[in-house]
Amino acid sequence: MGRLFLLTLEGHVYSCKFCKTHLALADDILSRSFHCRHGKAYLFDQVVNVIDGEKEERIMITGLHTVVDIFCVSCGSIVGWKYEAAHEKSQKYKEGKFILERFKILGPDGSNYSIAQEAQIGGSDGDDA
């Protein structure tokens, strides 16, 4: 195993809740109207310092998607997922985009997001983004 190479972002940065590794810039948020089991989730155009898990098919609120979980490269915590493929034509805009779960990240001001009482029990996905 070699030395860990991390990208350091400048500006308003979202980071891993557990180790504070930079993950994404606030400027790269495409939508704040997504939801997951723990409450809010944000759709990002790009993220850094993550590694991909295994591809799997998931049925979400908006249909069947091929996704990979994404893990913080520093501490290994799952921080969200990446859309590899959308099977519904109306959901194709998500392909190649990333979801970061607010419960698992720190906001640009260092704020922590607690689990919302209205968090969903079932599958996760976005509302109308």
Side-chain angles (χ1 to χ4, degrees):
M1 209 175 209
R3 186 174 178 170
L4 188 62
F5 177 75
L6 297 175
L7 291 174
T8 301
L9 302 173
E10 293 187 28
H12 298 289
V13 176
Y14 285 89
S15 57
C16 176
K17 173 181 178 177
F18 304 101
C19 68
K20 298 182 176 50
T21 296
H22 290 183
L23 299 173
L25 291 170
D27 290 343
D28 289 328
I29 293 177
L30 299 174
S31 175
R32 288 183 172 88
S33 66
F34 280 67
H35 298 279
C36 64
R37 290 184 182 139
H38 298 111
K40 292 184 178 185
Y42 296 162
L43 181 69
F44 283 85
D45 188 37
Q46 56 186 349
V47 298
V48 298
N49 300 324
V50 296
I51 55 174
D52 293 349
E54 296 291 319
K55 279 187 185 181
E56 64 180 77
E57 303 290 320
R58 287 192 195 152
I59 296 176
M60 299 183 175
I61 294 169
T62 56
L64 183 64
H65 295 79
T66 304
V67 299
V68 294
D69 287 330
I70 54 174
F71 301 85
C72 173
V73 73
S74 291
C75 69
S77 297
I78 186 169
V79 291
W81 66 89
K82 178 182 178 185
Y83 289 102
E84 293 288 327
H87 299 277
E88 301 286 332
K89 186 176 180 181
S90 66
Q91 301 301 306
K92 292 288 186 185
Y93 74 94
K94 295 177 185 174
E95 292 181 346
K97 306 296 188 256
F98 301 85
I99 290 287
L100 291 179
E101 298 182 46
R102 270 302 275 134
F103 177 67
K104 298 177 180 180
I105 61 175
L106 297 175
D109 59 356
S111 63
N112 197 355
Y113 182 82
S114 59
I115 295 177
Q117 290 181 350
E118 70 275 5
Q120 299 176 4
I121 305 287
S124 51
D125 210 351
D127 289 338
D128 297 321

